[in-house]
Amino acid sequence: MVDAWRVAWTRGDGCRPLAELLGDSPGRPIESNLRQVCVSDRVDLLVTRRLTSFDLVPLVVPQSVALGDVASVSVAVSGGPHSDLAASVAARIAARLGVPGELATAYRTANEHEDAMQRLERIGGAHPELDRRAIEASSAAALVDPLTADTLLVLGAPGGSWLQRQLFGPGHRLAVAAPGGVVIVRSAPRRCFQDTDPDSRHAVGPQLAVREALRLFADAVIPVAEGGKLVGIVRAATLRSAHKRTAIGDVMEPAVAVSATEPTEAAAELYEFLDGGPVPVVDEQGYFIGTIAAPTPS
């Protein structure tokens, strides 16, 4: 997750208060078309009433949470894919409520102790403000037993690890047993629309003269758009070798872009092909919505 979170929420008990607590700016309620709003608002996190198949952004689901009654936060972490997000959400809740927080994990045998401690060290390294607790137990219920009625429990969504199977056993017994309410999180890949620079929607039209493009832009590759849609790209090297009165449309290459909803790894694959220039991003209809800048060489 990024340091600054753009958060949206859906209708549901406790969704708005939690969204406003987690967000860095006024969030947005979503009543329909989740996909469109997440892309247009570049949403990082969606607070919603239940886990669904929607995977465009990470989900946060509050269950019986009364934030005004929370005096501490405990996050149960495992080797699953959602533990890092769970820790980030727990740390932010604890910090913004001004209450203590902890990372907790359980292991079954002494042979698993080292793995558990490494897990706490890795995740806790990003959240030094959280205390750490590891216990040897035959059941992950031992993580919940010490919790008081004013402790909020944060969990990653059901996964394949032993701890996650324990946390989400028959009847979700552990989540229900948490006395201070539960927040369940599920991570998702970082998407291109989340990293698109909203101020980078500059493109040239195919009728623009080469000399004007050279005067206006310094990027290695320039998007070419017509009627709002990406129709091509033109390289700075091509512009420098072309006749100055030539139209961009006569020297441009076919459009190269990533979809707004693709994982950001798709953009990384194009940096070299685009000479280190920004990668164009388009929506589902092919409209140009911005670019993703290549990382600065270290």
Side-chain angles (χ1 to χ4, degrees):
M1 292 295 296
V2 293
D3 292 333
W5 289 352
R6 297 176 292 266
V7 181
W9 74 90
T10 64
R11 290 176 180 265
D13 191 25
C15 290
R16 179 173 181 172
L18 184 56
E20 292 177 342
L21 186 73
L22 292 171
D24 289 282
S25 59
R28 175 172 175 177
I30 304 178
E31 297 184 359
S32 63
N33 207 331
L34 282 175
R35 189 180 188 89
Q36 179 179 332
V37 173
C38 285
V39 173
S40 63
D41 286 21
R42 302 169 64 228
V43 170
D44 295 307
L45 202 66
L46 176 65
V47 181
T48 186
R49 60 186 175 182
R50 64 179 183 270
L51 290 174
T52 67
S53 59
F54 185 75
D55 65 353
L56 197 61
V57 298
L59 302 182
V60 178
V61 181
Q63 296 183 349
S64 302
V65 175
L67 293 174
D69 297 332
V70 173
S72 63
V73 180
S74 179
V75 52
V77 296
S78 67
H82 312 301
S83 288
D84 291 285
L85 175 61
S88 295
V89 167
R92 177 154 301 197
I93 293 173
R96 296 204 163 173
L97 291 178
V99 301
E102 69 162 7
L103 290 169
T105 194
Y107 56 96
R108 288 173 291 182
T109 67
N111 291 335
E112 297 175 351
H113 176 262
E114 183 176 354
D115 287 342
M117 297 309 295
Q118 289 179 352
R119 182 159 60 241
L120 289 181
E121 179 67 22
R122 182 187 67 79
I123 298 175
H127 305 289
E129 71 278 17
L130 297 178
D131 293 332
R132 304 176 191 181
R133 176 166 62 99
I135 62 170
E136 182 178 350
S138 59
S139 169
L143 288 176
V144 174
D145 290 341
L147 301 184
T148 61
D150 53 9
T151 297
L152 177 66
L153 178 63
V154 182
L155 305 172
S161 71
W162 165 77
L163 181 55
Q164 290 300 79
R165 291 195 302 272
Q166 287 279 314
L167 294 173
F168 292 93
H172 297 264
R173 59 181 178 271
L174 195 61
V176 171
V182 178
V183 171
I184 301 171
V185 308
R186 189 180 71 203
S187 60
R190 187 82 180 157
R191 308 285 181 169
C192 290
F193 71 82
Q194 292 166 319
D195 284 354
T196 299
D197 181 356
D199 297 323
S200 66
R201 296 174 187 171
H202 50 261
V204 297
Q207 294 81 27
L208 188 71
V210 165
R211 65 168 179 263
E212 295 300 322
L214 286 170
R215 183 176 64 84
L216 295 171
F217 298 96
D219 291 330
V221 172
I222 305 169
V224 183
E226 187 170 30
K229 291 191 173 184
L230 188 73
V231 295
I233 61 169
V234 63
R235 300 177 189 270
T238 300
L239 295 177
R240 288 192 291 268
S241 62
H243 190 282
K244 299 304 182 283
R245 294 183 179 180
T246 302
I248 293 295
D250 293 334
V251 295
M252 71 180 185
E253 301 174 22
V256 175
V258 293
S259 168
T261 56
E262 286 187 276
T264 53
E265 288 80 1
E269 296 173 359
L270 293 176
Y271 292 143
E272 183 176 357
F273 177 76
L274 295 175
D275 303 328
V279 178
V281 181
V282 297
D283 67 12
E284 294 177 341
Q285 287 75 45
Y287 285 95
F288 175 59
I289 63 174
T291 61
I292 298 177
T296 304
S298 55

